[in-house]
């Protein structure tokens, strides 16, 4: 049940029944030598659609551009500044709140989004928190990173050990390969070097991680691993959504 | 050549060869009784991908949420406020300008985007126009509405006459039906009434156009018409892009 | 009935009788070799005052600085960034809405204002469109370009043919000459060259249009033409205002 | 030498000779029983033009809408929020700085503008103050209230004593009567009551000052007083401008 | 009664009894050869706490960073842009308004704050002034500069004559020496030179006032003077607060 | 070495030697029945000063107001909206960057700050990341929560077990009691109830946590525990700072 593929009358009926929406959010940024620039958005959207199907929940349009300032030294990366993301997510949420949606279940595919998305939630909540009249509609927002689900972590640990890494990971590249087998790239790459500290801005990240991998060996990625990871994510996120839906 | 399906190295090579990107931009909003909420984004993206293929141009991620405040009285509609769109488009454009892109060819699927997108271009240009040092990278942005192309207008006029309308048109619904035949809706609807004046805000629009159609008979839509319109759009936009690319 | 020349008690009585205001909006920007920098504001204001007189409508203070980033490579041009214009027009409109004005009839003298002004209207409407409580006062805004009125276009076509152009036009310079005969400039200028494409930022505009004319021959301007154009504008805009006033 | 009545070539020559501009700034707000809503803008503009003539300085377009939130409980008053004024003045100043203007001499007609205008200057200066590269063009801005000039204060004290007041003053109404003798209003009004404290927002101001006068007796105004005050303002401001121009 | 040292239950009881808060506001900026960078914040906070004690009023957390763009050419100075200060003060005030506070008594220690703080008040008031529904909670804000109190000015005039100056004054340095005797600096400095005009941005200020003093001789400062000035400030501000509290 | 207690010449010398600053950041918000509203700021500042002393690092003024929208249903709580915090932290950082500071070591005392502070860092970095000219000064920012340090967690676990909780914790109240023994409150409170889900806005938090404690038993707090926790924090943060300083 994807909102873009519904009519307004169907949306109205669905929200009346279940005032909840899943929002996939990813990023458009470099993913190392063999990862696709759209990895984070493609993965988040696919997982979200599957979770929506499994739980009969409505899925909103994917937020395909995230907070990726740190990847801007690599071609193709696009960022929203955090202040832009706050405005964007606020408009998204308040628009659907206008139609009666009260719960927003974000499925996130990109670590760089966690903080600004959380900041956006606080900016949204502050409207009600600062309002003494009690007239502002109140909403509830949560974010879940598909790659951080317990089952996903467990599978990745078993499959890749400490070579999964933290960006352009073997796990996320596997998932994209499973979803888009026609877009698999075969690229030779040397063993990744471990960085001794965390990056700051884009130039800094590239100087520490010259080919875009952060501690990862995405050459280990396979579509089969991707399929397993996809199912693991679905297995954890579906009950999480149902629990969120059932909250009073 | 869709940016989300490229690696950063491929993006780098492509931009060096052709510092131009196509940006599809649509909207997420009601489209009458049988039109999909995602119509404008789905159509713009599909046309953009086809134009990109025909012209070997890179296609950036779709801007799926546009300026749709006037549709907010119908469920499922999502809007960016114009000020948010200006910030969003600025971040999109300046991110890719960082990588060397100098020409942005927006393919638009939604009339409500025209003014705020044009305002965003002016905001972007103003950075260079106000700069006395000449250090700001200069870009060039154009927008083309796929539904406004001469061949598209001609076909729609012949196929639907004055029953094409100006929102939830027979033409745009046809194109979506062609692209997503599994999502075709059959809905009975009475002949549309003509409005005597232009709408302002969301409540006003709904009071003038109670089922979301604006002067249109989308019951005339067929996938075959959609296919013809798609080809018409492609036929006009591909040379337009080539002319833009060739500008000094 | 110009608001700046009224007392607050007169304003109160007038708005109670007719909750409508005319807002002249122009620009402060180069207008070629013999056009005045204030052309767009001076013309819009004069036309607005005449329309106000003819229709007994209140005229607000002129917005003399518009969106003119593209003219900044010529001395004396001043721009508002679109985001500033949105804030400015919002404050203007919400201030008068506070006093009961519900209809805003903008008379515009500058093409560069059309998009950002329309974006400002949407930003204003969005406040009501996003509001579920129905407590936000709702207003209606329209813009009419005086130079685009049917009678004006007809006269200009007959008087200047295709030498009217699109900036620093013979028509707008004529109107200023009619209004301010003491400020007429006699400047020799060569025939204007046609540009092969549309400009983007200020440097680009100047490189395409080195003396500031865009396809126009303002040497054809005369005060007599200006008088005729003024009357043509008045003839079309007065009934347009009355129709707007009569809308439910 | 008013910028709106110059061509761009004349502006260029003038700025090369004298990189200074006078900016008149007023307000559009209630001025008591017999004062005009445009008083502050009309007065500031007239004084600025006269100072410009006396000193051969260029005069920019008047800023007719100022910070007047406190007058919004009286019909016809329009305000810019301070944040909007900061953006507006920044755009005005940076636009002319682009053309080489380095000194801005604001002639102000409204007390409510003093703080936000000063804040705008600081926002503008901060761009250079925070910039380590030294590439930001540096400008100098001053504001002078015409009604605060020593000669003006002296004349008003002699003519009106303590009945001049602090808003809708006898002095400012006199000046408008001198400038616009056709717009003189004769209104009976009781002696004004002194308020015991300073107002805050609009509702508060109206509760303290029910007809809009703040400690003033504008019934004392005459065009002859206005003429004398005008000359007094001119006598003080012209040398002030010359001193500013001569600063290194 | 300092808010940071209270519990929420104590705050609730206090605000119910007295819906007023004292807000100390200062700056973090250079204060000449022997003045501390924290001078303005340290002084304002100490005075505010003493006034709070004397009047049994609640004292909020100090705003230690103010508007100091003009001092940025001296190491250690930190500024808020005026637009940031407006947002910051708005959040501070609206947060406490949520809890019932209706009167805000700012005790200011820095001249550069006066205008942007006043602008912030207007921005806050504008929310109510523009609101036709009467639902916005209305607050009242005043600012008092401790150094500008009549008794303080009198003492400083007697103690330092015209050598008190206008920045890094003998008076403010004395007060800090009284409050923090362990932080007294002994620095030789030549007699200060008088500047012939007012500074603008940071580079300009430093070129006019190379060691950071503006017309002052802070070598005259002593803790004993500081103690006397502290008592003078307290003597004037305590009745001012009581009068504000008693306003209807 | 606290910046507020230094002169500008001392700041200049220090930054030349060590271009690093410690920034304490806390919050002003309810801390349960016996915790002080200033807890988070008081603790962060004290720890920061101690770390500064131990490492000979400069300590900037405390950011005493943080992101606390979720506590606004309890009296005395003050929040910055995340967008305000981004502007505030940006001004703080860019001001000191102007003086040569390149490394910012934030010591944080409040969980609600983590996301918006991280968003602020990204907004700051984005200025450099989006800049193709390489002229923007590049800085490095890190945040460390004093309460999250390994030694702190170990001590709290041993002292309080799972009764430390996540807000108004026994640990943070202990630290404040150690620092401000005169402000210790004795309040009887029932055993805290565990909440079944995470709060969203302020009303929601209060409905789940009616006295402001979140899973904590701050009645267990003692000054002695506070002293031990303080030393634990110092023991971990000092080497962390030195490592950060030594990064290339």
């Amino acid at each position: 049940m994807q909102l873009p593929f519904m009519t307004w009358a169907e949306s109205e009926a669905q929200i009346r029944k279940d005032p909840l929406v899943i929002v996939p959010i990813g990023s458009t940024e470099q993913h190392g030598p063999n990862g696709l620039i759209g990895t984070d958005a493609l993965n988040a959207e696919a997982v979200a659609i599957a979770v929506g199907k499994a739980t009969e929940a409505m899925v909103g349009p994917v937020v395909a551009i995230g907070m990726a300032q740190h990847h801007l030294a690599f071609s193709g990366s696009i960022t929203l500044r955090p202040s832009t993301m706050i405005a964007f997510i606020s408009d998204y949420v308040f628009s659907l709140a206008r139609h009666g949606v009260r719960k927003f279940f974000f499925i996130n595919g990109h670590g760089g989004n966690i903080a600004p998305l959380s900041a956006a939630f606080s900016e949204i909540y502050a409207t009600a928190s600062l309002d003494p009249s009690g007239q502002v509609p109140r909403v509830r927002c949560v974010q879940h990173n598909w790659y951080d689900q317990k089952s996903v972590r467990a599978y990745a640990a078993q499959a890749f050990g400490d070579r999964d890494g933290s960006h352009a990971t073997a796990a996320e590249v596997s998932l994209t390969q499973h979803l888009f087998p026609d877009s698999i790239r075969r690229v030779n790459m040397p063993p990744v070097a471990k960085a001794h500290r965390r990056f700051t801005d884009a130039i800094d990240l590239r100087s520490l991680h010259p080919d875009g991998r952060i501690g990862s060996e995405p050459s280990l990625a396979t579509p089969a691993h991707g399929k397993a990871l996809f199912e693991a994510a679905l297995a954890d996120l579906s009950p999480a959504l149902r629990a969120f839906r059932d909250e009073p």
Side-chain angles (χ1 to χ4, degrees), chain A residues 19-238:
Chain A
L20 178 152
V21 70
I22 301 173
V23 185
I25 178 167
S27 185
T28 297
E29 63 183 42
Q30 68 88 9
H31 269 78
N34 68 337
L36 303 183
I37 285 173
T39 297
D40 292 344
L42 298 168
N43 288 346
E45 188 176 28
V47 171
I49 291 171
V51 173
K53 206 169 288 176
T55 60
E56 296 183 36
M58 192 163 81
V59 182
V62 63
V63 181
I65 299 180
M67 208 298 292
Q69 67 80 17
H70 42 306
H71 292 296
L72 280 174
F74 291 95
S75 188
S77 303
I78 305 179
T79 195
L80 299 186
R81 285 166 294 150
S83 55
T84 304
M85 184 181 279
I86 289 173
F88 182 89
I89 297 293
S90 295
D91 285 0
Y92 193 127
V93 165
F94 284 122
S95 292
L96 291 177
R98 169 74 159 79
H99 307 307
V101 177
R102 288 298 173 263
K103 293 185 180 171
F104 294 82
F105 189 89
F106 284 76
I107 294 184
N108 179 34
H110 170 51
N113 289 340
I114 298 173
L117 187 56
S118 173
F121 294 171
S122 296
E123 190 95 9
I124 290 166
Y125 295 149
T127 308
S129 294
L130 282 161
D131 172 56
S133 77
Q135 300 230 344
V136 174
R138 296 173 55 215
V139 297
R140 194 173 298 173
C141 303
V142 294
Q143 57 172 309
H144 291 262
N145 307 314
W146 74 261
Y147 56 84
D148 248 353
Q149 300 304 303
K150 196 178 286 191
S151 307
V152 175
R153 286 288 185 207
Y155 185 92
Q158 179 199 21
F160 313 118
D162 65 354
R163 295 194 289 172
D164 189 34
S166 60
H167 178 71
T169 65
E172 62 187 353
V173 173
S174 292
L175 178 46
T176 320
Q177 290 185 347
H178 164 60
L179 297 170
F180 301 94
D182 293 346
S183 295
I184 297 175
R185 298 297 191 286
R186 302 287 166 215
V187 181
N188 287 325
M189 50 189 109
V192 74
K194 297 288 173 194
H196 48 289
R197 64 169 174 82
R198 187 161 167 78
F199 56 83
T200 56
D201 63 15
I203 296 170
D204 193 49
L205 187 149
R206 186 154 187 173
S207 75
L208 293 171
H209 308 286
D211 66 2
R213 292 176 291 162
I214 305 186
S216 64
E217 295 292 5
S219 54
L220 302 175
T222 68
H225 284 318
K227 183 165 188 297
L229 289 158
F230 186 70
E231 282 157 10
L234 187 60
D236 283 8
L237 287 168
S238 297

